[in-house]
Amino acid sequence: MARRLSFLVVLAALFAGGCGQSEKDKLIAQADPICKQVNERRAAANAALGNVTNLSGKGTLAAVARSAPALAANQHEAVAKLTALKAPSSVSKDWGTMLSGLQQLANYTAQLGLVAGAKKPQIGEKLIATSRQLQKKLIALAKQDGFQHCGRLN
C-alpha cells in the first residue's frame, strides 16, 4: 500500500509539473515556435531578394526598403511575445540578454529599411555587419541554453 501511494504521489507530481518537463524546457517549447515563424518569414524575404552580395546592386535598395519595415514589425511583435514568457531563474540572465539582442536586431532591420529608402548602401552594409556580429553572440548563447530557433531573427 505504501509503495502504491508513493507511486501515485510521484505520478501526480509529474503531471502537475508538466509531465517532467523543466521550466527551461517549457520556455524553449513556447519560445522556439515564435522564433521559428519569424525566421521563416525572414528567410522568405531573403529568398525574394535573391543572392545579394551588397546593397549597391540594381534594385536591391528599393527591395530592401520595401521589405524591411514589415520584417521589422514582425520581429518587434515576436520580441513582445517572447518578453511575455516567464524565464526560470536558471536562464533568466541569458534570456534577458537574448531578448535585448533580439530587440536590437529588430531595430537594425527597421533602420536598414530607412537607410535603404534613403539610398545609403554603405550605412546599410554597416548595419548588416553589426547585425551579423550580434547574431553570432546570440546564436551561441541560445545554443548553449538549448534553443533551436531563438537567438536570431533571420
Side-chain angles (χ1 to χ4, degrees):
M1 180 72 171
R3 274 189 166 165
R4 182 180 268 178
L5 186 57
S6 294
F7 175 74
L8 291 175
V9 169
V10 169
L11 189 61
L14 285 175
F15 280 110
C19 295
Q21 198 176 35
S22 74
E23 291 298 314
K24 180 177 147 185
D25 291 339
K26 289 178 189 177
L27 175 66
I28 292 169
Q30 292 173 320
D32 261 346
I34 295 168
C35 296
K36 182 180 180 185
Q37 183 181 42
V38 172
N39 294 340
E40 288 171 349
R41 288 182 181 166
R42 183 63 173 256
N46 287 345
L49 287 173
N51 186 17
V52 176
T53 55
N54 64 53
L55 293 178
S56 299
K58 186 179 179 186
T60 302
L61 282 174
V64 170
R66 281 190 308 273
S67 64
L71 288 172
N74 183 253
Q75 291 171 335
H76 284 294
E77 181 182 330
V79 172
K81 288 178 183 177
L82 294 170
T83 301
L85 301 177
K86 182 169 175 18
S89 59
S90 63
V91 293
S92 63
K93 182 179 178 194
D94 289 354
W95 183 243
T97 300
M98 240 191 315
L99 290 176
S100 175
L102 293 173
Q103 181 66 51
Q104 189 59 50
L105 290 175
N107 292 342
Y108 288 155
T109 301
Q111 291 172 8
L112 181 60
L114 293 174
V115 299
K119 298 183 178 167
K120 297 182 178 182
Q122 297 85 1
I123 297 172
E125 288 173 5
K126 286 180 183 178
L127 278 170
I128 291 169
T130 302
S131 292
R132 286 185 179 145
Q133 289 174 352
L134 177 56
Q135 278 189 3
K136 282 183 181 181
K137 292 176 184 176
L138 295 177
I139 289 167
L141 183 62
K143 191 176 195 179
Q144 165 190 304
D145 288 332
F147 292 91
Q148 291 182 355
H149 300 285
C150 291
R152 72 180 104 218
L153 291 179
N154 70 347

mmCIF file of all heavy atoms in Angstrom, residues 42-74:
data_model
loop_
_atom_site.group_PDB
_atom_site.id
_atom_site.type_symbol
_atom_site.label_atom_id
_atom_site.label_comp_id
_atom_site.label_asym_id
_atom_site.label_seq_id
_atom_site.Cartn_x
_atom_site.Cartn_y
_atom_site.Cartn_z
ATOM 1 N N ARG A 42 11.653 35.796 -42.505
ATOM 2 C CA ARG A 42 12.882 36.479 -42.922
ATOM 3 C C ARG A 42 13.558 35.704 -44.044
ATOM 4 O O ARG A 42 14.040 36.289 -45.001
ATOM 5 C CB ARG A 42 13.812 36.642 -41.720
ATOM 6 C CG ARG A 42 15.094 37.388 -41.999
ATOM 7 C CD ARG A 42 14.783 38.832 -42.415
ATOM 8 N NE ARG A 42 15.970 39.625 -42.526
ATOM 9 C CZ ARG A 42 16.358 40.518 -41.642
ATOM 10 N NH1 ARG A 42 15.649 40.749 -40.574
ATOM 11 N NH2 ARG A 42 17.439 41.203 -41.853
ATOM 12 N N ALA A 43 13.583 34.385 -43.944
ATOM 13 C CA ALA A 43 14.185 33.561 -44.990
ATOM 14 C C ALA A 43 13.440 33.736 -46.310
ATOM 15 O O ALA A 43 14.067 33.814 -47.377
ATOM 16 C CB ALA A 43 14.197 32.088 -44.569
ATOM 17 N N ALA A 44 12.115 33.820 -46.257
ATOM 18 C CA ALA A 44 11.327 34.033 -47.472
ATOM 19 C C ALA A 44 11.637 35.396 -48.081
ATOM 20 O O ALA A 44 11.776 35.527 -49.306
ATOM 21 C CB ALA A 44 9.837 33.915 -47.161
ATOM 22 N N ALA A 45 11.775 36.413 -47.246
ATOM 23 C CA ALA A 45 12.116 37.747 -47.741
ATOM 24 C C ALA A 45 13.511 37.749 -48.349
ATOM 25 O O ALA A 45 13.736 38.347 -49.409
ATOM 26 C CB ALA A 45 12.020 38.778 -46.621
ATOM 27 N N ASN A 46 14.450 37.079 -47.701
ATOM 28 C CA ASN A 46 15.809 36.984 -48.238
ATOM 29 C C ASN A 46 15.817 36.253 -49.577
ATOM 30 O O ASN A 46 16.529 36.643 -50.505
ATOM 31 C CB ASN A 46 16.744 36.289 -47.249
ATOM 32 C CG ASN A 46 17.093 37.166 -46.068
ATOM 33 O OD1 ASN A 46 16.892 38.371 -46.078
ATOM 34 N ND2 ASN A 46 17.594 36.549 -45.017
ATOM 35 N N ALA A 47 15.026 35.181 -49.682
ATOM 36 C CA ALA A 47 14.951 34.424 -50.931
ATOM 37 C C ALA A 47 14.378 35.293 -52.054
ATOM 38 O O ALA A 47 14.826 35.214 -53.198
ATOM 39 C CB ALA A 47 14.110 33.172 -50.735
ATOM 40 N N ALA A 48 13.408 36.132 -51.714
ATOM 41 C CA ALA A 48 12.816 37.018 -52.716
ATOM 42 C C ALA A 48 13.828 38.047 -53.216
ATOM 43 O O ALA A 48 13.755 38.487 -54.369
ATOM 44 C CB ALA A 48 11.590 37.724 -52.140
ATOM 45 N N LEU A 49 14.767 38.432 -52.359
ATOM 46 C CA LEU A 49 15.802 39.381 -52.766
ATOM 47 C C LEU A 49 16.840 38.735 -53.675
ATOM 48 O O LEU A 49 17.532 39.420 -54.417
ATOM 49 C CB LEU A 49 16.513 39.971 -51.546
ATOM 50 C CG LEU A 49 15.733 40.971 -50.715
ATOM 51 C CD1 LEU A 49 16.506 41.328 -49.459
ATOM 52 C CD2 LEU A 49 15.426 42.225 -51.521
ATOM 53 N N GLY A 50 16.963 37.422 -53.604
ATOM 54 C CA GLY A 50 17.964 36.731 -54.405
ATOM 55 C C GLY A 50 19.314 36.761 -53.725
ATOM 56 O O GLY A 50 19.442 37.088 -52.550
ATOM 57 N N ASN A 51 20.338 36.465 -54.476
ATOM 58 C CA ASN A 51 21.696 36.396 -53.945
ATOM 59 C C ASN A 51 22.285 37.805 -53.907
ATOM 60 O O ASN A 51 22.887 38.254 -54.873
ATOM 61 C CB ASN A 51 22.560 35.456 -54.796
ATOM 62 C CG ASN A 51 23.927 35.242 -54.203
ATOM 63 O OD1 ASN A 51 24.149 35.516 -53.033
ATOM 64 N ND2 ASN A 51 24.842 34.746 -55.005
ATOM 65 N N VAL A 52 22.108 38.479 -52.792
ATOM 66 C CA VAL A 52 22.598 39.840 -52.627
ATOM 67 C C VAL A 52 23.974 39.798 -51.984
ATOM 68 O O VAL A 52 24.136 39.284 -50.883
ATOM 69 C CB VAL A 52 21.627 40.674 -51.757
ATOM 70 C CG1 VAL A 52 22.199 42.054 -51.503
ATOM 71 C CG2 VAL A 52 20.267 40.758 -52.414
ATOM 72 N N THR A 53 24.951 40.317 -52.693
ATOM 73 C CA THR A 53 26.296 40.367 -52.126
ATOM 74 C C THR A 53 26.582 41.725 -51.504
ATOM 75 O O THR A 53 27.429 41.855 -50.647
ATOM 76 C CB THR A 53 27.361 40.051 -53.191
ATOM 77 O OG1 THR A 53 27.189 40.949 -54.292
ATOM 78 C CG2 THR A 53 27.234 38.617 -53.676
ATOM 79 N N ASN A 54 25.866 42.746 -51.991
ATOM 80 C CA ASN A 54 25.966 44.074 -51.385
ATOM 81 C C ASN A 54 24.698 44.849 -51.708
ATOM 82 O O ASN A 54 23.907 44.440 -52.561
ATOM 83 C CB ASN A 54 27.236 44.818 -51.837
ATOM 84 C CG ASN A 54 27.238 45.095 -53.323
ATOM 85 O OD1 ASN A 54 26.294 45.662 -53.861
ATOM 86 N ND2 ASN A 54 28.304 44.699 -53.987
ATOM 87 N N LEU A 55 24.509 45.950 -51.047
ATOM 88 C CA LEU A 55 23.284 46.728 -51.234
ATOM 89 C C LEU A 55 23.336 47.650 -52.442
ATOM 90 O O LEU A 55 22.345 48.308 -52.753
ATOM 91 C CB LEU A 55 22.992 47.553 -49.968
ATOM 92 C CG LEU A 55 22.632 46.751 -48.730
ATOM 93 C CD1 LEU A 55 22.419 47.671 -47.540
ATOM 94 C CD2 LEU A 55 21.406 45.900 -48.960
ATOM 95 N N SER A 56 24.449 47.709 -53.121
ATOM 96 C CA SER A 56 24.592 48.593 -54.270
ATOM 97 C C SER A 56 24.039 47.992 -55.557
ATOM 98 O O SER A 56 23.986 48.669 -56.576
ATOM 99 C CB SER A 56 26.064 48.966 -54.474
ATOM 100 O OG SER A 56 26.550 49.633 -53.337
ATOM 101 N N GLY A 57 23.641 46.723 -55.508
ATOM 102 C CA GLY A 57 23.114 46.067 -56.704
ATOM 103 C C GLY A 57 21.834 46.729 -57.191
ATOM 104 O O GLY A 57 21.085 47.332 -56.420
ATOM 105 N N LYS A 58 21.598 46.612 -58.495
ATOM 106 C CA LYS A 58 20.427 47.242 -59.107
ATOM 107 C C LYS A 58 19.130 46.738 -58.465
ATOM 108 O O LYS A 58 18.887 45.545 -58.406
ATOM 109 C CB LYS A 58 20.410 46.949 -60.607
ATOM 110 C CG LYS A 58 19.312 47.672 -61.332
ATOM 111 C CD LYS A 58 19.340 47.391 -62.815
ATOM 112 C CE LYS A 58 18.185 48.146 -63.463
ATOM 113 N NZ LYS A 58 18.066 47.824 -64.862
ATOM 114 N N GLY A 59 18.338 47.642 -57.975
ATOM 115 C CA GLY A 59 17.049 47.310 -57.382
ATOM 116 C C GLY A 59 17.106 46.802 -55.956
ATOM 117 O O GLY A 59 16.069 46.631 -55.312
ATOM 118 N N THR A 60 18.303 46.530 -55.466
ATOM 119 C CA THR A 60 18.441 45.951 -54.131
ATOM 120 C C THR A 60 17.956 46.911 -53.053
ATOM 121 O O THR A 60 17.188 46.519 -52.164
ATOM 122 C CB THR A 60 19.891 45.536 -53.854
ATOM 123 O OG1 THR A 60 20.297 44.613 -54.850
ATOM 124 C CG2 THR A 60 20.025 44.892 -52.493
ATOM 125 N N LEU A 61 18.385 48.164 -53.123
ATOM 126 C CA LEU A 61 17.981 49.135 -52.100
ATOM 127 C C LEU A 61 16.467 49.298 -52.076
ATOM 128 O O LEU A 61 15.863 49.332 -50.996
ATOM 129 C CB LEU A 61 18.648 50.491 -52.337
ATOM 130 C CG LEU A 61 20.101 50.602 -51.895
ATOM 131 C CD1 LEU A 61 20.673 51.950 -52.315
ATOM 132 C CD2 LEU A 61 20.234 50.416 -50.406
ATOM 133 N N ALA A 62 15.855 49.380 -53.235
ATOM 134 C CA ALA A 62 14.403 49.548 -53.290
ATOM 135 C C ALA A 62 13.694 48.330 -52.705
ATOM 136 O O ALA A 62 12.712 48.467 -51.958
ATOM 137 C CB ALA A 62 13.954 49.786 -54.731
ATOM 138 N N ALA A 63 14.198 47.130 -53.007
ATOM 139 C CA ALA A 63 13.587 45.907 -52.480
ATOM 140 C C ALA A 63 13.736 45.833 -50.965
ATOM 141 O O ALA A 63 12.791 45.458 -50.257
ATOM 142 C CB ALA A 63 14.206 44.686 -53.143
ATOM 143 N N VAL A 64 14.901 46.197 -50.468
ATOM 144 C CA VAL A 64 15.125 46.201 -49.020
ATOM 145 C C VAL A 64 14.237 47.252 -48.356
ATOM 146 O O VAL A 64 13.635 46.994 -47.311
ATOM 147 C CB VAL A 64 16.619 46.423 -48.687
ATOM 148 C CG1 VAL A 64 16.823 46.682 -47.200
ATOM 149 C CG2 VAL A 64 17.446 45.229 -49.132
ATOM 150 N N ALA A 65 14.144 48.415 -48.971
ATOM 151 C CA ALA A 65 13.306 49.486 -48.413
ATOM 152 C C ALA A 65 11.844 49.051 -48.340
ATOM 153 O O ALA A 65 11.131 49.434 -47.408
ATOM 154 C CB ALA A 65 13.445 50.755 -49.248
ATOM 155 N N ARG A 66 11.400 48.243 -49.300
ATOM 156 C CA ARG A 66 10.005 47.755 -49.293
ATOM 157 C C ARG A 66 9.784 46.652 -48.267
ATOM 158 O O ARG A 66 8.750 46.605 -47.610
ATOM 159 C CB ARG A 66 9.616 47.229 -50.681
ATOM 160 C CG ARG A 66 9.277 48.269 -51.686
ATOM 161 C CD ARG A 66 8.658 47.656 -52.955
ATOM 162 N NE ARG A 66 9.447 46.574 -53.525
ATOM 163 C CZ ARG A 66 10.441 46.725 -54.398
ATOM 164 N NH1 ARG A 66 10.774 47.932 -54.796
ATOM 165 N NH2 ARG A 66 11.086 45.675 -54.863
ATOM 166 N N SER A 67 10.744 45.742 -48.136
ATOM 167 C CA SER A 67 10.512 44.565 -47.287
ATOM 168 C C SER A 67 10.898 44.762 -45.825
ATOM 169 O O SER A 67 10.312 44.137 -44.940
ATOM 170 C CB SER A 67 11.253 43.354 -47.856
ATOM 171 O OG SER A 67 12.647 43.553 -47.844
ATOM 172 N N ALA A 68 11.862 45.605 -45.546
ATOM 173 C CA ALA A 68 12.370 45.746 -44.174
ATOM 174 C C ALA A 68 11.330 46.224 -43.159
ATOM 175 O O ALA A 68 11.301 45.697 -42.039
ATOM 176 C CB ALA A 68 13.594 46.652 -44.152
ATOM 177 N N PRO A 69 10.473 47.198 -43.491
ATOM 178 C CA PRO A 69 9.505 47.642 -42.466
ATOM 179 C C PRO A 69 8.582 46.529 -41.971
ATOM 180 O O PRO A 69 8.350 46.411 -40.764
ATOM 181 C CB PRO A 69 8.720 48.751 -43.168
ATOM 182 C CG PRO A 69 9.666 49.275 -44.198
ATOM 183 C CD PRO A 69 10.426 48.059 -44.676
ATOM 184 N N ALA A 70 8.091 45.695 -42.881
ATOM 185 C CA ALA A 70 7.210 44.595 -42.463
ATOM 186 C C ALA A 70 7.984 43.564 -41.642
ATOM 187 O O ALA A 70 7.470 43.039 -40.652
ATOM 188 C CB ALA A 70 6.568 43.937 -43.682
ATOM 189 N N LEU A 71 9.214 43.292 -42.055
ATOM 190 C CA LEU A 71 10.040 42.350 -41.288
ATOM 191 C C LEU A 71 10.326 42.885 -39.892
ATOM 192 O O LEU A 71 10.248 42.149 -38.909
ATOM 193 C CB LEU A 71 11.356 42.079 -42.017
ATOM 194 C CG LEU A 71 11.270 41.237 -43.270
ATOM 195 C CD1 LEU A 71 12.614 41.206 -43.984
ATOM 196 C CD2 LEU A 71 10.819 39.829 -42.933
ATOM 197 N N ALA A 72 10.648 44.166 -39.814
ATOM 198 C CA ALA A 72 10.929 44.767 -38.505
ATOM 199 C C ALA A 72 9.694 44.712 -37.610
ATOM 200 O O ALA A 72 9.801 44.387 -36.422
ATOM 201 C CB ALA A 72 11.400 46.204 -38.675
ATOM 202 N N ALA A 73 8.538 45.002 -38.176
ATOM 203 C CA ALA A 73 7.297 44.947 -37.391
ATOM 204 C C ALA A 73 7.057 43.532 -36.878
ATOM 205 O O ALA A 73 6.677 43.332 -35.714
ATOM 206 C CB ALA A 73 6.115 45.418 -38.237
ATOM 207 N N ASN A 74 7.303 42.544 -37.732
ATOM 208 C CA ASN A 74 7.141 41.149 -37.329
ATOM 209 C C ASN A 74 8.122 40.780 -36.227
ATOM 210 O O ASN A 74 7.780 40.095 -35.267
ATOM 211 C CB ASN A 74 7.324 40.252 -38.556
ATOM 212 C CG ASN A 74 7.094 38.798 -38.251
ATOM 213 O OD1 ASN A 74 8.047 38.028 -38.191
ATOM 214 N ND2 ASN A 74 5.853 38.413 -38.059
#
